[in-house]
Amino acid sequence: MVKKSEAGDESKLLTLDYNNVTAEVVGADKGLGRTELEAMKRHLTYAQKSFLRRKAKGLYPFADLPFDAKMASLCRRLATEGRKKYDDAVVLGIGGSALGANAVFSALRPLNHNSLPDETRGWPRLRVADNIDPESFEVLLDGLDLKKTFFYVISKSGATAETMSQFMIVTEKLEKKLGRKSVKDHVLFVTDPEKGVLNKLMASSPYDFSDSLSIPPGVGGRFSVFTAVGLAPLAMVGVDVAKLLAGARAAQEDFEKPVMSNKALLFAGLNHQLRSFKNGSSLVMMPYADSLARVSDWFGQLWNESLGKAERADGGPPAGQTAIKAVGATDQHSQLQLYMEGPEDKIVCFLGVEKYRANVKIPRLFQDQPELAYLSGRGLGDLLNFERQGTARALAENRRPNMTLLCSVVSPQTVGYLLQTLMLATIVSGSLYGVDPLDQPGVELGKKFTYGLMGREGFEEMKARYDKGLKSDPRRLV
Amino acid sequence: MVKKSEAGDESKLLTLDYNNVTAEVVGADKGLGRTELEAMKRHLTYAQKSFLRRKAKGLYPFADLPFDAKMASLCRRLATEGRKKYDDAVVLGIGGSALGANAVFSALRPLNHNSLPDETRGWPRLRVADNIDPESFEVLLDGLDLKKTFFYVISKSGATAETMSQFMIVTEKLEKKLGRKSVKDHVLFVTDPEKGVLNKLMASSPYDFSDSLSIPPGVGGRFSVFTAVGLAPLAMVGVDVAKLLAGARAAQEDFEKPVMSNKALLFAGLNHQLRSFKNGSSLVMMPYADSLARVSDWFGQLWNESLGKAERADGGPPAGQTAIKAVGATDQHSQLQLYMEGPEDKIVCFLGVEKYRANVKIPRLFQDQPELAYLSGRGLGDLLNFERQGTARALAENRRPNMTLLCSVVSPQTVGYLLQTLMLATIVSGSLYGVDPLDQPGVELGKKFTYGLMGREGFEEMKARYDKGLKSDPRRLV
C-alpha cells in the first residue's frame, strides 16, 4: 500500500500503486512478471508515440480541451449572470451528456448541495434528467419553479430520443407557464456547432431559440466532460471549472512522461496485460468516498463503451474489460465475498482518498466492550482508509490482483487530473486492444427497433422485422 | 417479448419471459436447447424438493417470514406513534442491514419523498447511512433536528465496525444535545434476540437502552428485508408493509408450483445452466424504472455474496455469477455497446414495468423535424417500454442471451413478490452450484487486517502480518 511519506506530498495529485498486480505478490499465474512488464513497456512506448502523433494531427481534440481557457471563461461568465436569476439548473441529457457533470458535481459540491437553503448554497441546484422514466421526470418537473429554472439541452445530433422527448415536454410546460416568448430565455442548447436538429430549430421554430454552446467536432459524449457539456452546468452550480481544467492540464502534461512513471499509460497497460493474459475480464472501480461514487459511473461508460468492441485490428475475439461499479466501505458488505472467493476474473481498482474534507471523530464510549473500544478516538476517515488497506491486502493474500489510485484530496485539481488520466488511459487501451475507442456501432440496432416500434417514418421495415422474428412461445412466458 | 394480452392480467404480479435465452433464438452455442432444458428441469425438481424438505426442518426461516403477521403489525404500531414524533428516520446499517430498506423505500415511496414538505409527506423522511465516509456522515448529521430524529441501529452481532462507529457518534451527539436520559428515546436496536454487543449494552450502559426488535436467528442480512431490519424503518416512512408481505407470501406459495411454471426455480435454473455451459459468467440486472434502480443494488448483494464461493460440494472451481447493476434506458447510452459487442460472457435480465404510475405525454411540437415528429403524442412510459423491447430484441439478434422479468406495476405486492422470488432463486442456485448460500467466509480476512491496523486488542498479529507482507516497491508507486 501507499506509504504516508510518498503520497502525502500535496503536490502529487494522484498516485498509482500497482504492487498488488505483480507476480511477486499474487503469483505468476495471476500477476504480471518481469517479462510481461517488459512486454507491456514496449507496447506502451509505441502507444504513447502513436497517441502523440495522432494528437498532433488533431485526431484527439479531447486532449486539447484543458488548454482552452475560452470555454471555461464563457461558462463562468454565464454562471455569474445565471446564479442571480435561477434556483435550478437542469441538464436534459443522457449517457455522456449527463455522466461527466454528475460525477464532478457529486465530487466537488457538498453532498447536500441541492437541499441546502438558498443563502448557504449560493448557486443554483443541479438536477440531471438522464432517464425518461415518467415517474421520476414528473417528480422533477413538479419540484421546479419554472420562472427560476434554466435548462441545458445537451445532444450532439439533436436526435437523441430521450433528451428530445424531455425537451419537447419542457418546451410545452414553459410556454404554458411563461408564454411563448419567454421559452428561449430558459433554454440553452449544447450541441454540434453546425449540424443536427437543434441547429435547425435555431434556424426556424416558433420559439426563436438562439442560445447555444458548441461541442467541438471530434469530441464524443464520453470524452466531453471538459467541453460545454460538463463545464456549463458545472460552472452554474459553483464548481471552479478553471481549477478543474488546471488539474486536467497537469494530467495531459504528465502523459508525456516516460512509460514507467506515466499513470495513464500504466493504468492502460497493466489492465490490458491482465485482461489478455491473466483472465482479468472485469475491472471493479471502487472509490472509498461517497463523493466519488459517480466517478465510477462515469468511468463505467468511458471504459465499457470505448473498449467493448467486436471489430479488432487483429481479427481477435470481442474486446473489452467489463468495468463494474462498487463503493467502499459499503460494498465490502455486499460484493467483497464474490471478489475474494468467486470466479478469478476480476481486477479491483481501489480509488482512495488520503485526506477527507471532513473529520468526524468516534467518541470514547463503551470502553468495556472490546468490540467497540478500539474504535474510540479514531476518525471515520482513518477507519475508512484502514478498511481500504485491509481489503486490498486481504485480496492480495487471496491472490486476487488489485491496484490503488490514491487522490491526495478530493479537489477540482485532483478530479480534473483523475478524469483526464482515465480518458487518456482509455484511448491508449483502444490502441492496445486494436479497437476504435471513439465509436459505438453496437447501440444502433436497438435504436432502430425502437424507432420501428414507435412508428417512426422510414422504419416500417424494422417494425416488420421485429414482429416477424418475435419468439414468444407461451411455455417460456411464466 | 411479453405480449400485452398475457402480462396485462392485473392478477399476475410478475412474468418471466425466457424466450431469448433459448437455442432457438440465440443459437445452440449461446442458448439452451431442449436437452439442456430437460436436464435443468431434472435438477430443479430435485432442488425444489430439497428446499421444501429443508424448509420444513426450519433451515430457511426467511421463507416463513411472509406468513408471520406479528412483526409487521408491531412495526406498523411503532410507526403510527413514531410518525407524530419524528421528522427523520435514520438507518445506521451497512450491507444487508441497509439494502433492503433502501430498495423498497425507493420503489414504493415517491422518488422525492425526502424533499416533500412535511404536510404532503405525512411520514418521516428516510436516511440510510450505509457508509462511514466522514463527509457524507457529517452532512447527514448536520441536516437533522435531533429532537425529531429516530435512529435504527441495525447489526446482528453489534460488532459491525461501520455501524457501531456511527452509533457511538450519534449517541454522543444526542447526549450533548438532549441530555443523557433522552438518548434511549431516539434509538432502537435491531439485533439478535439474545447474543451480541447491543444486547450487552441493553444490560448495562449509562444510557439505559431498552428498545430493541429481534432479527430471527438463521436469517442473515441479505435475506432480512422482511424482518424488522426492513419492516421497521419501512413502516415508519409510510410503506404498506402488510401488502408487501402479501406479495412475498404469494411468491412463497407459487414456489410450490411445477418446475416449468415456477419463476424462482426457472430464474435459478436458467442462469445456472447459462453460467455453467454457455459462458454466462455475468448477469446484468437492468430495471427500466428509476424506482427499481436500488432493487438491483439489493439483488447484487444477494446474488454475489450468496453464490460467490470457493468451497463447492463437488470440489469444482470457484462458483458465482457476477451480478452487475444497470438502469434502462440510461445505460443504453453507457453499457449497451459492451453488452452488444464486447466479450460474450453476459446474460442481461431486463426488469420491466408494464404500467408506470405516472403518465407524461410528449406534446405535438416540431412536426417538421422527422427526428422529433415520431415522438409526438406518445407517453414517456411507452417510449421506455419500446426501448426495453427494442434493446432486448437487438441483443437477441446479436445472439446475446437475455430474459425479462416484467412487473405489472410497481406496488407493495409486486415488490414483495419480486424480492421473495429472487431470494428463493438464490437459495436454489446455491444448491445447483453446490455452495452454502447463507455464509460469507471471504469477508473475514479483510476485517481482521482492519482490526490490526486500527490497533484492536488481540489483533497485534494481523498488524505484524500486514507490515511484514507489505510490498511497496517504490518503482510500482507512480
Side-chain angles (χ1 to χ4, degrees), chain A residues 1 16 130 133 135-136 162 290 304 322 330 335 337 346 357 387 393 397 442 465-466 478, chain B residues 1 16 130 133 135-136 162 290 301 304 322 330 335 337 346 357 387 393 397 442 465-466 478:
Chain A
M1 294 307 313
L16 169 65
D130 63 352
D133 180 322
E135 300 176 6
S136 54
E162 297 87 352
D290 290 333
N304 290 344
T322 302
T330 308
Q335 307 303 322
Q337 168 67 33
K346 292 177 190 68
R357 292 165 293 189
E387 292 207 20
R393 183 54 188 290
E397 282 208 4
R465 180 165 148 191
Y466 184 91
V478 176
Chain B
M1 293 307 311
L16 169 65
D130 63 352
D133 181 321
E135 300 176 5
S136 52
E162 297 87 352
D290 290 333
Q301 182 202 28
N304 290 343
T322 302
T330 308
Q335 306 303 322
Q337 168 67 33
K346 291 178 190 68
R357 290 165 294 189
E387 292 206 18
R393 182 54 187 287
E397 281 208 5
R465 180 164 149 191
Y466 184 93
V478 177

Side-chain angles (χ1 to χ4, degrees), chain A residues 39-341:
Chain A
M40 175 189 79
K41 192 175 162 185
R42 285 194 306 277
H43 296 317
L44 288 176
T45 307
Y46 176 82
Q48 182 182 32
K49 278 193 197 141
S50 153
F51 180 97
L52 293 171
R53 200 170 52 234
R54 292 170 64 89
K55 176 175 175 290
K57 285 189 194 162
L59 293 171
Y60 298 133
F62 89 91
D64 299 318
L65 295 170
F67 299 89
D68 174 12
K70 260 186 259 162
M71 183 54 80
S73 7
L74 176 56
C75 291
R76 291 168 74 179
R77 207 164 60 238
L78 292 173
T80 312
E81 297 161 24
R83 70 188 289 194
K84 295 176 214 148
K85 289 194 268 180
Y86 306 109
D87 287 342
D88 286 282
V90 180
V91 168
L92 306 181
I94 193 166
S97 301
L99 287 157
N102 243 337
V104 177
F105 172 68
S106 301
L108 298 180
R109 295 307 300 166
L111 286 161
N112 60 343
H113 177 96
N114 280 354
S115 53
L116 286 172
D118 292 351
E119 59 281 12
T120 325
R121 201 176 59 240
W123 299 89
R125 285 175 286 259
L126 181 67
R127 324 275 195 172
V128 178
D130 63 352
N131 203 355
I132 44 166
D133 180 322
E135 300 176 6
S136 54
F137 199 58
E138 184 174 82
V139 157
L140 169 70
L141 293 179
D142 286 352
L144 298 171
D145 174 0
L146 289 178
K147 224 185 291 180
K148 308 202 79 183
T149 302
F150 193 69
F151 293 92
Y152 298 86
V153 182
I154 307 184
S155 170
K156 197 159 195 178
S157 64
T160 314
E162 297 87 352
T163 304
M164 298 311 285
S165 299
Q166 295 172 330
F167 166 60
M168 289 159 80
I169 292 163
V170 160
T171 300
E172 189 191 48
K173 280 228 163 218
L174 284 168
E175 180 168 3
K176 277 195 182 153
K177 182 87 183 175
L178 310 174
R180 178 166 291 189
K181 282 190 179 165
S182 296
V183 174
K184 66 175 188 309
D185 301 333
H186 294 264
V187 171
L188 176 71
F189 294 160
V190 182
T191 189
D192 188 273
E194 293 173 14
K195 286 180 281 187
V197 182
L198 290 171
N199 284 296
K200 287 191 208 159
L201 293 185
M202 283 198 285
S204 138
S205 95
Y207 301 96
D208 292 324
F209 293 115
S210 55
D211 285 347
S212 78
L213 294 174
S214 292
I215 309 173
V219 180
R222 55 192 183 270
F223 294 91
S224 71
V225 58
F226 299 134
T227 69
V229 171
L231 298 179
L234 287 169
M236 181 68 109
V237 298
V239 168
D240 188 333
V241 294
K243 285 188 184 159
L244 187 71
L245 289 189
R249 257 193 323 271
Q252 190 63 47
E253 284 161 2
D254 279 357
F255 184 75
E256 313 217 351
K257 284 188 179 174
V259 171
M260 297 310 280
S261 51
N262 186 313
K263 286 181 276 283
L265 287 173
L266 285 170
F267 186 85
L270 294 166
N271 276 300
H272 175 257
Q273 288 278 320
L274 291 161
R275 169 76 183 101
S276 304
F277 306 113
K278 308 286 168 177
N279 197 22
S281 65
S282 297
L283 172 61
V284 177
M285 181 58 80
M286 191 166 185
Y288 270 63
D290 290 333
S291 64
L292 297 178
R294 283 169 178 277
V295 168
S296 58
D297 289 326
W298 171 86
F299 175 74
Q301 182 202 27
L302 180 70
W303 203 245
N304 290 344
E305 203 169 57
S306 299
L307 306 177
K309 299 282 157 74
E311 204 172 63
R312 297 180 70 164
D314 63 0
Q321 184 189 38
T322 302
I324 294 178
K325 317 160 203 167
V327 176
T330 308
D331 285 328
Q332 290 175 203
H333 296 260
S334 165
Q335 307 303 322
L336 183 60
Q337 168 67 33
L338 177 80
Y339 305 161
M340 283 286 285
E341 291 201 352

Side-chain angles (χ1 to χ4, degrees), chain A residues 1-2 12 15-19 24-25 94-95 111-112 130-136 138-139 161-162 164-165 167-169 172 197 200 207 260-261 263 266 275 289-290 300-301 304-305 308-310 318-320 322 328-330 333-335 337 340-343 346 357-358 360-363 365 369 371-372 374-376 378 380 383 386-387 389 393-394 397 440-442 446 449-451 453-454 456 465-466 469-473 476-478, chain B residues 1-2 12 15-19 24-25 94-95 111-112 130-136 138-139 161-162 164-165 168-169 172 197 200-201 207 260-261 263 266 275 289-290 300-301 304-305 308-310 318-320 322 328-330 333-335 337 340-343 346 357-358 360-363 365-366 369 371-372 374-375 378 380 383 386-387 389 393-394 397 440-442 446 449-451 453-454 456 465-466 469-473 476-478:
Chain A
M1 294 307 313
V2 176
K12 194 158 192 184
T15 309
L16 169 65
D17 179 349
Y18 66 95
N19 277 283
E24 209 182 316
V25 174
I94 193 166
L111 286 161
N112 60 343
D130 63 352
N131 203 355
I132 44 166
D133 180 322
E135 300 176 6
S136 54
E138 184 174 82
V139 157
E162 297 87 352
M164 298 311 285
S165 299
F167 166 60
M168 289 159 80
I169 292 163
E172 189 191 48
V197 182
K200 287 191 208 159
Y207 301 96
M260 297 310 280
S261 51
K263 286 181 276 283
L266 285 170
R275 169 76 183 101
D290 290 333
Q301 182 202 27
N304 290 344
E305 203 169 57
K309 299 282 157 74
T322 302
T330 308
H333 296 260
S334 165
Q335 307 303 322
Q337 168 67 33
M340 283 286 285
E341 291 201 352
K346 292 177 190 68
R357 292 165 293 189
V360 178
K361 220 172 155 184
I362 307 168
L365 294 177
Q369 306 293 339
E371 293 97 332
L372 307 183
Y374 74 98
L375 298 164
S376 296
R378 292 289 194 169
L380 281 187
L383 177 58
F386 284 137
E387 292 207 20
Q389 291 168 2
R393 183 54 188 290
E397 282 208 4
Q440 55 282 332
F449 277 123
T450 303
Y451 295 151
L453 291 168
M454 288 283 287
R456 178 170 170 182
R465 180 165 148 191
Y466 184 91
L470 193 64
K471 291 282 184 308
S472 191
D473 184 334
R476 289 163 190 167
L477 265 182
V478 176
Chain B
M1 293 307 311
V2 176
K12 193 156 193 184
T15 309
L16 169 65
D17 179 349
Y18 65 96
N19 277 284
E24 209 182 318
V25 175
I94 194 166
L111 286 160
N112 60 343
D130 63 352
N131 203 354
I132 44 168
D133 181 321
E135 300 176 5
S136 52
E138 184 174 82
V139 156
E162 297 87 352
M164 297 311 285
S165 300
M168 289 159 80
I169 292 162
E172 189 191 49
V197 182
K200 288 191 208 160
L201 292 185
Y207 301 98
M260 297 311 280
S261 51
K263 288 181 274 283
L266 284 170
R275 168 75 184 102
D290 290 333
Q301 182 202 28
N304 290 343
E305 203 169 56
K309 299 283 156 73
T322 302
T330 308
H333 296 260
S334 167
Q335 306 303 322
Q337 168 67 33
M340 283 287 285
E341 291 201 353
K346 291 178 190 68
R357 290 165 294 189
V360 178
K361 219 172 154 184
I362 307 168
L365 294 178
F366 314 126
Q369 306 292 339
E371 293 96 333
L372 307 184
Y374 74 100
L375 297 165
R378 291 289 193 169
L380 281 188
L383 177 57
F386 284 136
E387 292 206 18
Q389 291 168 2
R393 182 54 187 287
E397 281 208 5
Q440 54 282 334
F449 277 124
T450 304
Y451 295 150
L453 291 167
M454 287 285 284
R456 178 171 170 182
R465 180 164 149 191
Y466 184 93
L470 194 67
K471 292 284 184 307
S472 190
D473 184 333
R476 291 166 187 163
L477 263 183
V478 177

